[in-house]
Amino acid sequence: MADLQTRYLERLAELYPTVAAASTEVINLEAILNLPKGTEHFLTDIHGEAEAFSHVLKNGSGAVRRKVNDVFGNTLCREDKRSLATLIYYPREKMAQILEHTANKEDWYKITLYRLIEVSKRSGSKYTRSKVRKALPPEFAYVIEELMTEKADIRDKESYYTAIIATIIRVGRAEEFIRALCELIQRLVVDHLHILGDIYDRGPGPHLIMDKLMQYHSLDIQWGNHDVLWMGAAAGQRGCIANVIRICARYGNLDILEDGYGINLLPLATFALETYGDDPCICFALKGSHPCSPGEKELNLRMHKAISIIQFKVEGQLIKEYPEFGLERRLLLHRINYENGTIVLDGRRLPMKDMHFPTVDHADPYRLSPEEESIMERLEKAFLNCEKLQQHMRFLLAKGSLYKVYNQNLLYHGCVPLCEDGSLKETSVYGKRYKGRGLYDVLESYIRRGFMAEDETERKRGRDIMWYIWLGENSPLFGKDKMATFERYFLEDEESHKEKKNPYYRMLENEKTVDMILGEFGLGGEESHIINGHVPVKSKNGENPVKCGGKVLVIDGGFSRAYQKETGIAGYTLIYNSYGLILAAHEPFESRAAAIEQESDIYSEDIVVKRTASRKLVGDTDTGQQLKEKIADLEQLLKAYRDGRIAERFGRR
């Protein structure tokens, strides 16, 4: 052990070769521990709503607006502060609008630059100068750093700073400089972003959201069931591929696949027209309103039905292949009476709304027709060979996980499966039984194997478990007894549409259960919380996102437009800054154009969930713990230098 420690210190000495270097680093790290903790921003269930997501990212769920208020208080009127905030969100577009109606542009540049510099100072005040410097845009880094470090009470440099501003305007760089400051403020108001799942499906822009996330400075992602579905599709899993296409068709978003990812759907379209050309496809209407021509709408209906029937067949094959998944009751095609148009479900005979199934062999209903098999082969290759999709999925793998413990908070998308008595529910995964944290860990390991395993059997198991995670009763990302897709399409009977939630959801007010879950993941005490999404909080019905006295925060409030009628709002987001936890309830986002033209920021009602007795410092965080460990290691190195066990290494000057 002593030899191992010595070897470690020798490696550390390569980074800090002298007493002076190691001492300086200890001083720096100790100072950082006493800075205020950075702001964390939590979002969940974005569901492809790229414009609303982009706006919330730009305004930091009100963090920018709070900075503007902190800086200017009552010295600026409400309209000027609102205009300044909008400029920070959309500098290029807002500036063009303002300057079009501004007679004295030079005065506007000067006033705006001074205001933005003040907001930049406040936004960067909790960081080290080194960290701020790394966030600066390279072309203006030196000038911005000079202006941000200006002291209001130092007159000696007043003319120096004034000259900088004047020169920026004189050489025609004011607009670029203003854009750079606005983007810097956006960058500084949030230190770290948490995405708690479901980037994909329903909305039209998940690929745009992924592009933006790939450029974000610091984030983690807890996968949602819709994300894992797309991951499975990218890995070539047929059940996932069929579900992805069906959902895109259902919400009128096939453009995501064709234009966003370049996946060719022409074979499916051709097959759908040939097979269902005379079928009104009444059960397969689009959800929401979509401006499209009658011809496009008719094609979408037929493609929607074609891929749905393929999905039910492919899933039937998977259910038969994996009896341990416990999904036998979801084998439905063979339960249809094709003569009298009924189906037997749970002992009840129910009438079907649609009985036109030209590709279903009554003797072998789960077998794909030759044409369907050909389509799935081509789609499988298209998903596997789509470079942009693969790039996005690699990013999800690199930044994502099924759960995360971060600064005493437990983050996950769905639920921890529980039994009716509140105990952890055991689930079989390929012959072994797991529960709680162990279930999360093994499922995540199989997801990664679905992409990385060299052994083809393990790789296939990984691919297929992603489909199970999407809809399995005991999946922590689904948490319901069934996914009633078939029933919602084909049966009028609303009782058959119901999906019973896991007991987890009715036990979120039970402190004993919540403490047990936190303990399972190594957490406990007043500082620990569960933060998750997945099931929208129906605010209009009086449901509260803050549960169990503040120990649980369910922050899915309907970011997706498809859910907003049910929830009554447009989602919750959460801010955790050095003063405490702030929950923001958002009104629906009208549009980017309205935000710029009318300065209509997303109205948010802030709910203070918890205010800390004393301001949280970096030393109170996970990062702080890592820094303390590094300080301890450096102090051991200093002792080794002074004891003569390790020699200083003075390089040439």
PDB file of all heavy atoms in Angstrom, residues 78-110:
ATOM      1  N   ARG A  78     -39.793  48.872 -15.695  1.00  0.00           N
ATOM      2  CA  ARG A  78     -40.080  47.474 -16.026  1.00  0.00           C
ATOM      3  C   ARG A  78     -39.932  47.213 -17.519  1.00  0.00           C
ATOM      4  O   ARG A  78     -39.417  46.175 -17.923  1.00  0.00           O
ATOM      5  CB  ARG A  78     -41.501  47.113 -15.568  1.00  0.00           C
ATOM      6  CG  ARG A  78     -41.848  45.645 -15.740  1.00  0.00           C
ATOM      7  CD  ARG A  78     -43.187  45.316 -15.139  1.00  0.00           C
ATOM      8  NE  ARG A  78     -44.265  46.054 -15.801  1.00  0.00           N
ATOM      9  CZ  ARG A  78     -45.550  45.951 -15.467  1.00  0.00           C
ATOM     10  NH1 ARG A  78     -45.908  45.176 -14.457  1.00  0.00           N
ATOM     11  NH2 ARG A  78     -46.473  46.640 -16.118  1.00  0.00           N
ATOM     12  N   GLU A  79     -40.376  48.167 -18.358  1.00  0.00           N
ATOM     13  CA  GLU A  79     -40.298  47.976 -19.814  1.00  0.00           C
ATOM     14  C   GLU A  79     -38.848  47.898 -20.281  1.00  0.00           C
ATOM     15  O   GLU A  79     -38.510  47.073 -21.135  1.00  0.00           O
ATOM     16  CB  GLU A  79     -41.026  49.114 -20.538  1.00  0.00           C
ATOM     17  CG  GLU A  79     -42.539  49.085 -20.421  1.00  0.00           C
ATOM     18  CD  GLU A  79     -43.037  49.493 -19.037  1.00  0.00           C
ATOM     19  OE1 GLU A  79     -42.253  50.121 -18.276  1.00  0.00           O
ATOM     20  OE2 GLU A  79     -44.206  49.186 -18.711  1.00  0.00           O
ATOM     21  N   ASP A  80     -37.979  48.752 -19.722  1.00  0.00           N
ATOM     22  CA  ASP A  80     -36.564  48.729 -20.117  1.00  0.00           C
ATOM     23  C   ASP A  80     -35.893  47.431 -19.676  1.00  0.00           C
ATOM     24  O   ASP A  80     -35.065  46.868 -20.398  1.00  0.00           O
ATOM     25  CB  ASP A  80     -35.825  49.927 -19.518  1.00  0.00           C
ATOM     26  CG  ASP A  80     -36.119  51.222 -20.267  1.00  0.00           C
ATOM     27  OD1 ASP A  80     -36.732  51.136 -21.356  1.00  0.00           O
ATOM     28  OD2 ASP A  80     -35.735  52.293 -19.774  1.00  0.00           O
ATOM     29  N   LYS A  81     -36.241  46.944 -18.483  1.00  0.00           N
ATOM     30  CA  LYS A  81     -35.653  45.681 -18.013  1.00  0.00           C
ATOM     31  C   LYS A  81     -36.134  44.514 -18.865  1.00  0.00           C
ATOM     32  O   LYS A  81     -35.360  43.602 -19.193  1.00  0.00           O
ATOM     33  CB  LYS A  81     -35.995  45.456 -16.533  1.00  0.00           C
ATOM     34  CG  LYS A  81     -35.225  46.384 -15.598  1.00  0.00           C
ATOM     35  CD  LYS A  81     -35.389  46.022 -14.134  1.00  0.00           C
ATOM     36  CE  LYS A  81     -36.738  46.423 -13.599  1.00  0.00           C
ATOM     37  NZ  LYS A  81     -36.843  46.246 -12.129  1.00  0.00           N
ATOM     38  N   ARG A  82     -37.398  44.543 -19.249  1.00  0.00           N
ATOM     39  CA  ARG A  82     -37.936  43.477 -20.101  1.00  0.00           C
ATOM     40  C   ARG A  82     -37.267  43.496 -21.473  1.00  0.00           C
ATOM     41  O   ARG A  82     -36.925  42.449 -22.027  1.00  0.00           O
ATOM     42  CB  ARG A  82     -39.446  43.642 -20.239  1.00  0.00           C
ATOM     43  CG  ARG A  82     -40.131  42.486 -20.961  1.00  0.00           C
ATOM     44  CD  ARG A  82     -41.640  42.616 -20.866  1.00  0.00           C
ATOM     45  NE  ARG A  82     -42.107  43.812 -21.553  1.00  0.00           N
ATOM     46  CZ  ARG A  82     -43.338  44.291 -21.457  1.00  0.00           C
ATOM     47  NH1 ARG A  82     -44.226  43.688 -20.692  1.00  0.00           N
ATOM     48  NH2 ARG A  82     -43.690  45.380 -22.109  1.00  0.00           N
ATOM     49  N   SER A  83     -37.062  44.702 -22.014  1.00  0.00           N
ATOM     50  CA  SER A  83     -36.410  44.827 -23.311  1.00  0.00           C
ATOM     51  C   SER A  83     -34.962  44.343 -23.244  1.00  0.00           C
ATOM     52  O   SER A  83     -34.476  43.663 -24.157  1.00  0.00           O
ATOM     53  CB  SER A  83     -36.455  46.279 -23.783  1.00  0.00           C
ATOM     54  OG  SER A  83     -35.871  46.412 -25.054  1.00  0.00           O
ATOM     55  N   LEU A  84     -34.281  44.664 -22.151  1.00  0.00           N
ATOM     56  CA  LEU A  84     -32.898  44.223 -21.982  1.00  0.00           C
ATOM     57  C   LEU A  84     -32.826  42.701 -21.874  1.00  0.00           C
ATOM     58  O   LEU A  84     -31.941  42.061 -22.471  1.00  0.00           O
ATOM     59  CB  LEU A  84     -32.289  44.882 -20.743  1.00  0.00           C
ATOM     60  CG  LEU A  84     -30.817  44.543 -20.458  1.00  0.00           C
ATOM     61  CD1 LEU A  84     -29.913  44.987 -21.607  1.00  0.00           C
ATOM     62  CD2 LEU A  84     -30.367  45.187 -19.133  1.00  0.00           C
ATOM     63  N   ALA A  85     -33.756  42.111 -21.129  1.00  0.00           N
ATOM     64  CA  ALA A  85     -33.776  40.646 -21.004  1.00  0.00           C
ATOM     65  C   ALA A  85     -34.010  39.988 -22.360  1.00  0.00           C
ATOM     66  O   ALA A  85     -33.343  39.006 -22.710  1.00  0.00           O
ATOM     67  CB  ALA A  85     -34.859  40.221 -20.015  1.00  0.00           C
ATOM     68  N   THR A  86     -34.943  40.541 -23.146  1.00  0.00           N
ATOM     69  CA  THR A  86     -35.214  39.979 -24.475  1.00  0.00           C
ATOM     70  C   THR A  86     -33.983  40.096 -25.366  1.00  0.00           C
ATOM     71  O   THR A  86     -33.675  39.191 -26.145  1.00  0.00           O
ATOM     72  CB  THR A  86     -36.411  40.697 -25.131  1.00  0.00           C
ATOM     73  OG1 THR A  86     -37.539  40.612 -24.265  1.00  0.00           O
ATOM     74  CG2 THR A  86     -36.760  40.065 -26.466  1.00  0.00           C
ATOM     75  N   LEU A  87     -33.271  41.208 -25.255  1.00  0.00           N
ATOM     76  CA  LEU A  87     -32.028  41.376 -26.018  1.00  0.00           C
ATOM     77  C   LEU A  87     -31.016  40.301 -25.640  1.00  0.00           C
ATOM     78  O   LEU A  87     -30.336  39.736 -26.508  1.00  0.00           O
ATOM     79  CB  LEU A  87     -31.445  42.765 -25.752  1.00  0.00           C
ATOM     80  CG  LEU A  87     -30.090  43.056 -26.414  1.00  0.00           C
ATOM     81  CD1 LEU A  87     -30.243  43.161 -27.927  1.00  0.00           C
ATOM     82  CD2 LEU A  87     -29.477  44.334 -25.845  1.00  0.00           C
ATOM     83  N   ILE A  88     -30.925  39.985 -24.361  1.00  0.00           N
ATOM     84  CA  ILE A  88     -29.982  38.944 -23.919  1.00  0.00           C
ATOM     85  C   ILE A  88     -30.373  37.584 -24.494  1.00  0.00           C
ATOM     86  O   ILE A  88     -29.516  36.807 -24.901  1.00  0.00           O
ATOM     87  CB  ILE A  88     -29.915  38.903 -22.379  1.00  0.00           C
ATOM     88  CG1 ILE A  88     -29.276  40.199 -21.849  1.00  0.00           C
ATOM     89  CG2 ILE A  88     -29.124  37.688 -21.892  1.00  0.00           C
ATOM     90  CD1 ILE A  88     -29.401  40.392 -20.339  1.00  0.00           C
ATOM     91  N   TYR A  89     -31.679  37.293 -24.576  1.00  0.00           N
ATOM     92  CA  TYR A  89     -32.121  36.008 -25.120  1.00  0.00           C
ATOM     93  C   TYR A  89     -31.873  35.922 -26.624  1.00  0.00           C
ATOM     94  O   TYR A  89     -31.415  34.900 -27.130  1.00  0.00           O
ATOM     95  CB  TYR A  89     -33.630  35.790 -24.886  1.00  0.00           C
ATOM     96  CG  TYR A  89     -34.132  35.981 -23.484  1.00  0.00           C
ATOM     97  CD1 TYR A  89     -35.451  36.384 -23.263  1.00  0.00           C
ATOM     98  CD2 TYR A  89     -33.318  35.767 -22.369  1.00  0.00           C
ATOM     99  CE1 TYR A  89     -35.942  36.570 -21.980  1.00  0.00           C
ATOM    100  CE2 TYR A  89     -33.805  35.964 -21.093  1.00  0.00           C
ATOM    101  CZ  TYR A  89     -35.115  36.361 -20.898  1.00  0.00           C
ATOM    102  OH  TYR A  89     -35.603  36.558 -19.627  1.00  0.00           O
ATOM    103  N   TYR A  90     -32.226  36.989 -27.339  1.00  0.00           N
ATOM    104  CA  TYR A  90     -32.186  36.981 -28.815  1.00  0.00           C
ATOM    105  C   TYR A  90     -31.451  38.222 -29.323  1.00  0.00           C
ATOM    106  O   TYR A  90     -32.055  39.135 -29.892  1.00  0.00           O
ATOM    107  CB  TYR A  90     -33.612  36.965 -29.383  1.00  0.00           C
ATOM    108  CG  TYR A  90     -34.442  35.795 -28.915  1.00  0.00           C
ATOM    109  CD1 TYR A  90     -35.410  35.963 -27.922  1.00  0.00           C
ATOM    110  CD2 TYR A  90     -34.252  34.521 -29.454  1.00  0.00           C
ATOM    111  CE1 TYR A  90     -36.164  34.883 -27.485  1.00  0.00           C
ATOM    112  CE2 TYR A  90     -35.003  33.442 -29.013  1.00  0.00           C
ATOM    113  CZ  TYR A  90     -35.960  33.634 -28.027  1.00  0.00           C
ATOM    114  OH  TYR A  90     -36.703  32.564 -27.597  1.00  0.00           O
ATOM    115  N   PRO A  91     -30.145  38.306 -29.095  1.00  0.00           N
ATOM    116  CA  PRO A  91     -29.424  39.543 -29.400  1.00  0.00           C
ATOM    117  C   PRO A  91     -29.487  39.965 -30.867  1.00  0.00           C
ATOM    118  O   PRO A  91     -29.704  41.142 -31.168  1.00  0.00           O
ATOM    119  CB  PRO A  91     -27.991  39.240 -28.966  1.00  0.00           C
ATOM    120  CG  PRO A  91     -27.903  37.751 -28.872  1.00  0.00           C
ATOM    121  CD  PRO A  91     -29.264  37.281 -28.506  1.00  0.00           C
ATOM    122  N   ARG A  92     -29.323  39.037 -31.767  1.00  0.00           N
ATOM    123  CA  ARG A  92     -29.293  39.397 -33.184  1.00  0.00           C
ATOM    124  C   ARG A  92     -30.645  39.954 -33.639  1.00  0.00           C
ATOM    125  O   ARG A  92     -30.737  41.036 -34.226  1.00  0.00           O
ATOM    126  CB  ARG A  92     -28.910  38.173 -34.027  1.00  0.00           C
ATOM    127  CG  ARG A  92     -28.634  38.480 -35.495  1.00  0.00           C
ATOM    128  CD  ARG A  92     -28.312  37.195 -36.261  1.00  0.00           C
ATOM    129  NE  ARG A  92     -27.199  36.486 -35.668  1.00  0.00           N
ATOM    130  CZ  ARG A  92     -25.920  36.753 -35.958  1.00  0.00           C
ATOM    131  NH1 ARG A  92     -25.625  37.714 -36.811  1.00  0.00           N
ATOM    132  NH2 ARG A  92     -24.958  36.049 -35.402  1.00  0.00           N
ATOM    133  N   GLU A  93     -31.705  39.216 -33.375  1.00  0.00           N
ATOM    134  CA  GLU A  93     -33.031  39.603 -33.859  1.00  0.00           C
ATOM    135  C   GLU A  93     -33.563  40.840 -33.143  1.00  0.00           C
ATOM    136  O   GLU A  93     -34.121  41.746 -33.772  1.00  0.00           O
ATOM    137  CB  GLU A  93     -34.022  38.447 -33.695  1.00  0.00           C
ATOM    138  CG  GLU A  93     -33.639  37.180 -34.450  1.00  0.00           C
ATOM    139  CD  GLU A  93     -32.802  36.215 -33.621  1.00  0.00           C
ATOM    140  OE1 GLU A  93     -32.095  36.686 -32.703  1.00  0.00           O
ATOM    141  OE2 GLU A  93     -32.866  35.001 -33.888  1.00  0.00           O
ATOM    142  N   LYS A  94     -33.370  40.897 -31.802  1.00  0.00           N
ATOM    143  CA  LYS A  94     -33.901  42.035 -31.043  1.00  0.00           C
ATOM    144  C   LYS A  94     -33.146  43.312 -31.387  1.00  0.00           C
ATOM    145  O   LYS A  94     -33.749  44.400 -31.485  1.00  0.00           O
ATOM    146  CB  LYS A  94     -33.814  41.745 -29.542  1.00  0.00           C
ATOM    147  CG  LYS A  94     -34.531  42.803 -28.683  1.00  0.00           C
ATOM    148  CD  LYS A  94     -36.010  42.858 -29.018  1.00  0.00           C
ATOM    149  CE  LYS A  94     -36.733  43.937 -28.227  1.00  0.00           C
ATOM    150  NZ  LYS A  94     -38.141  44.059 -28.639  1.00  0.00           N
ATOM    151  N   MET A  95     -31.842  43.193 -31.572  1.00  0.00           N
ATOM    152  CA  MET A  95     -31.052  44.365 -31.913  1.00  0.00           C
ATOM    153  C   MET A  95     -31.475  44.941 -33.264  1.00  0.00           C
ATOM    154  O   MET A  95     -31.602  46.155 -33.428  1.00  0.00           O
ATOM    155  CB  MET A  95     -29.564  43.988 -31.933  1.00  0.00           C
ATOM    156  CG  MET A  95     -28.646  45.187 -31.965  1.00  0.00           C
ATOM    157  SD  MET A  95     -26.918  44.830 -31.476  1.00  0.00           S
ATOM    158  CE  MET A  95     -26.738  43.085 -31.737  1.00  0.00           C
ATOM    159  N   ALA A  96     -31.710  44.053 -34.229  1.00  0.00           N
ATOM    160  CA  ALA A  96     -32.149  44.516 -35.550  1.00  0.00           C
ATOM    161  C   ALA A  96     -33.481  45.244 -35.443  1.00  0.00           C
ATOM    162  O   ALA A  96     -33.686  46.294 -36.078  1.00  0.00           O
ATOM    163  CB  ALA A  96     -32.259  43.328 -36.502  1.00  0.00           C
ATOM    164  N   GLN A  97     -34.384  44.741 -34.623  1.00  0.00           N
ATOM    165  CA  GLN A  97     -35.696  45.379 -34.447  1.00  0.00           C
ATOM    166  C   GLN A  97     -35.555  46.745 -33.795  1.00  0.00           C
ATOM    167  O   GLN A  97     -36.180  47.733 -34.226  1.00  0.00           O
ATOM    168  CB  GLN A  97     -36.590  44.481 -33.595  1.00  0.00           C
ATOM    169  CG  GLN A  97     -38.001  45.014 -33.406  1.00  0.00           C
ATOM    170  CD  GLN A  97     -38.666  44.420 -32.172  1.00  0.00           C
ATOM    171  OE1 GLN A  97     -38.214  44.626 -31.047  1.00  0.00           O
ATOM    172  NE2 GLN A  97     -39.721  43.663 -32.400  1.00  0.00           N
ATOM    173  N   ILE A  98     -34.731  46.835 -32.761  1.00  0.00           N
ATOM    174  CA  ILE A  98     -34.570  48.104 -32.038  1.00  0.00           C
ATOM    175  C   ILE A  98     -33.903  49.151 -32.924  1.00  0.00           C
ATOM    176  O   ILE A  98     -34.348  50.304 -33.007  1.00  0.00           O
ATOM    177  CB  ILE A  98     -33.752  47.886 -30.746  1.00  0.00           C
ATOM    178  CG1 ILE A  98     -34.557  47.052 -29.737  1.00  0.00           C
ATOM    179  CG2 ILE A  98     -33.354  49.221 -30.124  1.00  0.00           C
ATOM    180  CD1 ILE A  98     -33.755  46.613 -28.528  1.00  0.00           C
ATOM    181  N   LEU A  99     -32.825  48.764 -33.597  1.00  0.00           N
ATOM    182  CA  LEU A  99     -32.052  49.730 -34.383  1.00  0.00           C
ATOM    183  C   LEU A  99     -32.837  50.267 -35.577  1.00  0.00           C
ATOM    184  O   LEU A  99     -32.567  51.372 -36.058  1.00  0.00           O
ATOM    185  CB  LEU A  99     -30.741  49.095 -34.849  1.00  0.00           C
ATOM    186  CG  LEU A  99     -29.731  48.807 -33.732  1.00  0.00           C
ATOM    187  CD1 LEU A  99     -28.523  48.057 -34.280  1.00  0.00           C
ATOM    188  CD2 LEU A  99     -29.293  50.096 -33.042  1.00  0.00           C
ATOM    189  N   GLU A 100     -33.794  49.499 -36.034  1.00  0.00           N
ATOM    190  CA  GLU A 100     -34.620  49.950 -37.157  1.00  0.00           C
ATOM    191  C   GLU A 100     -35.406  51.206 -36.792  1.00  0.00           C
ATOM    192  O   GLU A 100     -35.743  52.025 -37.664  1.00  0.00           O
ATOM    193  CB  GLU A 100     -35.579  48.824 -37.567  1.00  0.00           C
ATOM    194  CG  GLU A 100     -36.357  49.107 -38.835  1.00  0.00           C
ATOM    195  CD  GLU A 100     -37.277  47.952 -39.223  1.00  0.00           C
ATOM    196  OE1 GLU A 100     -37.141  46.858 -38.622  1.00  0.00           O
ATOM    197  OE2 GLU A 100     -38.121  48.146 -40.107  1.00  0.00           O
ATOM    198  N   HIS A 101     -35.675  51.406 -35.492  1.00  0.00           N
ATOM    199  CA  HIS A 101     -36.476  52.546 -35.044  1.00  0.00           C
ATOM    200  C   HIS A 101     -35.679  53.468 -34.120  1.00  0.00           C
ATOM    201  O   HIS A 101     -36.254  54.226 -33.337  1.00  0.00           O
ATOM    202  CB  HIS A 101     -37.738  52.058 -34.322  1.00  0.00           C
ATOM    203  CG  HIS A 101     -38.587  51.141 -35.139  1.00  0.00           C
ATOM    204  ND1 HIS A 101     -38.512  49.773 -35.034  1.00  0.00           N
ATOM    205  CD2 HIS A 101     -39.506  51.403 -36.106  1.00  0.00           C
ATOM    206  CE1 HIS A 101     -39.355  49.216 -35.888  1.00  0.00           C
ATOM    207  NE2 HIS A 101     -39.975  50.183 -36.547  1.00  0.00           N
ATOM    208  N   THR A 102     -34.341  53.386 -34.177  1.00  0.00           N
ATOM    209  CA  THR A 102     -33.491  54.202 -33.315  1.00  0.00           C
ATOM    210  C   THR A 102     -32.765  55.249 -34.140  1.00  0.00           C
ATOM    211  O   THR A 102     -32.027  54.905 -35.083  1.00  0.00           O
ATOM    212  CB  THR A 102     -32.469  53.320 -32.562  1.00  0.00           C
ATOM    213  OG1 THR A 102     -33.181  52.358 -31.780  1.00  0.00           O
ATOM    214  CG2 THR A 102     -31.589  54.159 -31.648  1.00  0.00           C
ATOM    215  N   ALA A 103     -32.964  56.513 -33.783  1.00  0.00           N
ATOM    216  CA  ALA A 103     -32.330  57.599 -34.543  1.00  0.00           C
ATOM    217  C   ALA A 103     -30.842  57.702 -34.209  1.00  0.00           C
ATOM    218  O   ALA A 103     -29.996  57.763 -35.108  1.00  0.00           O
ATOM    219  CB  ALA A 103     -33.047  58.914 -34.241  1.00  0.00           C
ATOM    220  N   ASN A 104     -30.512  57.709 -32.916  1.00  0.00           N
ATOM    221  CA  ASN A 104     -29.114  57.851 -32.498  1.00  0.00           C
ATOM    222  C   ASN A 104     -28.571  56.487 -32.080  1.00  0.00           C
ATOM    223  O   ASN A 104     -28.649  56.100 -30.916  1.00  0.00           O
ATOM    224  CB  ASN A 104     -29.010  58.854 -31.349  1.00  0.00           C
ATOM    225  CG  ASN A 104     -27.566  59.258 -31.078  1.00  0.00           C
ATOM    226  OD1 ASN A 104     -26.640  58.473 -31.289  1.00  0.00           O
ATOM    227  ND2 ASN A 104     -27.383  60.487 -30.617  1.00  0.00           N
ATOM    228  N   LYS A 105     -28.030  55.772 -33.044  1.00  0.00           N
ATOM    229  CA  LYS A 105     -27.545  54.411 -32.783  1.00  0.00           C
ATOM    230  C   LYS A 105     -26.355  54.411 -31.835  1.00  0.00           C
ATOM    231  O   LYS A 105     -26.215  53.522 -30.994  1.00  0.00           O
ATOM    232  CB  LYS A 105     -27.184  53.717 -34.103  1.00  0.00           C
ATOM    233  CG  LYS A 105     -28.375  53.413 -35.000  1.00  0.00           C
ATOM    234  CD  LYS A 105     -27.928  52.683 -36.253  1.00  0.00           C
ATOM    235  CE  LYS A 105     -29.118  52.205 -37.087  1.00  0.00           C
ATOM    236  NZ  LYS A 105     -30.013  53.286 -37.506  1.00  0.00           N
ATOM    237  N   GLU A 106     -25.490  55.409 -31.955  1.00  0.00           N
ATOM    238  CA  GLU A 106     -24.294  55.442 -31.116  1.00  0.00           C
ATOM    239  C   GLU A 106     -24.656  55.524 -29.641  1.00  0.00           C
ATOM    240  O   GLU A 106     -24.070  54.823 -28.796  1.00  0.00           O
ATOM    241  CB  GLU A 106     -23.410  56.624 -31.509  1.00  0.00           C
ATOM    242  CG  GLU A 106     -22.086  56.632 -30.765  1.00  0.00           C
ATOM    243  CD  GLU A 106     -21.123  57.670 -31.309  1.00  0.00           C
ATOM    244  OE1 GLU A 106     -21.180  57.963 -32.523  1.00  0.00           O
ATOM    245  OE2 GLU A 106     -20.310  58.184 -30.512  1.00  0.00           O
ATOM    246  N   ASP A 107     -25.632  56.354 -29.295  1.00  0.00           N
ATOM    247  CA  ASP A 107     -26.059  56.446 -27.897  1.00  0.00           C
ATOM    248  C   ASP A 107     -26.654  55.126 -27.414  1.00  0.00           C
ATOM    249  O   ASP A 107     -26.416  54.703 -26.275  1.00  0.00           O
ATOM    250  CB  ASP A 107     -27.097  57.567 -27.740  1.00  0.00           C
ATOM    251  CG  ASP A 107     -26.453  58.929 -27.615  1.00  0.00           C
ATOM    252  OD1 ASP A 107     -25.210  58.983 -27.574  1.00  0.00           O
ATOM    253  OD2 ASP A 107     -27.194  59.933 -27.587  1.00  0.00           O
ATOM    254  N   TRP A 108     -27.439  54.492 -28.284  1.00  0.00           N
ATOM    255  CA  TRP A 108     -28.041  53.212 -27.885  1.00  0.00           C
ATOM    256  C   TRP A 108     -26.963  52.161 -27.641  1.00  0.00           C
ATOM    257  O   TRP A 108     -27.017  51.420 -26.663  1.00  0.00           O
ATOM    258  CB  TRP A 108     -29.019  52.717 -28.955  1.00  0.00           C
ATOM    259  CG  TRP A 108     -29.720  51.453 -28.520  1.00  0.00           C
ATOM    260  CD1 TRP A 108     -30.818  51.362 -27.744  1.00  0.00           C
ATOM    261  CD2 TRP A 108     -29.315  50.100 -28.813  1.00  0.00           C
ATOM    262  NE1 TRP A 108     -31.151  50.039 -27.528  1.00  0.00           N
ATOM    263  CE2 TRP A 108     -30.244  49.246 -28.169  1.00  0.00           C
ATOM    264  CE3 TRP A 108     -28.275  49.548 -29.542  1.00  0.00           C
ATOM    265  CZ2 TRP A 108     -30.153  47.864 -28.240  1.00  0.00           C
ATOM    266  CZ3 TRP A 108     -28.171  48.161 -29.609  1.00  0.00           C
ATOM    267  CH2 TRP A 108     -29.106  47.333 -28.970  1.00  0.00           C
ATOM    268  N   TYR A 109     -25.965  52.103 -28.543  1.00  0.00           N
ATOM    269  CA  TYR A 109     -24.852  51.161 -28.356  1.00  0.00           C
ATOM    270  C   TYR A 109     -24.184  51.397 -27.005  1.00  0.00           C
ATOM    271  O   TYR A 109     -23.919  50.460 -26.244  1.00  0.00           O
ATOM    272  CB  TYR A 109     -23.796  51.333 -29.451  1.00  0.00           C
ATOM    273  CG  TYR A 109     -24.187  50.849 -30.821  1.00  0.00           C
ATOM    274  CD1 TYR A 109     -23.783  51.560 -31.955  1.00  0.00           C
ATOM    275  CD2 TYR A 109     -24.928  49.691 -31.001  1.00  0.00           C
ATOM    276  CE1 TYR A 109     -24.121  51.122 -33.236  1.00  0.00           C
ATOM    277  CE2 TYR A 109     -25.271  49.246 -32.270  1.00  0.00           C
ATOM    278  CZ  TYR A 109     -24.865  49.972 -33.388  1.00  0.00           C
ATOM    279  OH  TYR A 109     -25.198  49.534 -34.642  1.00  0.00           O
ATOM    280  N   LYS A 110     -23.906  52.666 -26.703  1.00  0.00           N
ATOM    281  CA  LYS A 110     -23.166  53.005 -25.499  1.00  0.00           C
ATOM    282  C   LYS A 110     -23.960  52.602 -24.251  1.00  0.00           C
ATOM    283  O   LYS A 110     -23.435  51.937 -23.348  1.00  0.00           O
ATOM    284  CB  LYS A 110     -22.883  54.509 -25.482  1.00  0.00           C
ATOM    285  CG  LYS A 110     -21.904  54.942 -24.389  1.00  0.00           C
ATOM    286  CD  LYS A 110     -21.637  56.447 -24.473  1.00  0.00           C
ATOM    287  CE  LYS A 110     -20.984  56.813 -25.802  1.00  0.00           C
ATOM    288  NZ  LYS A 110     -20.644  58.273 -25.835  1.00  0.00           N
TER     289      LYS A 110
END
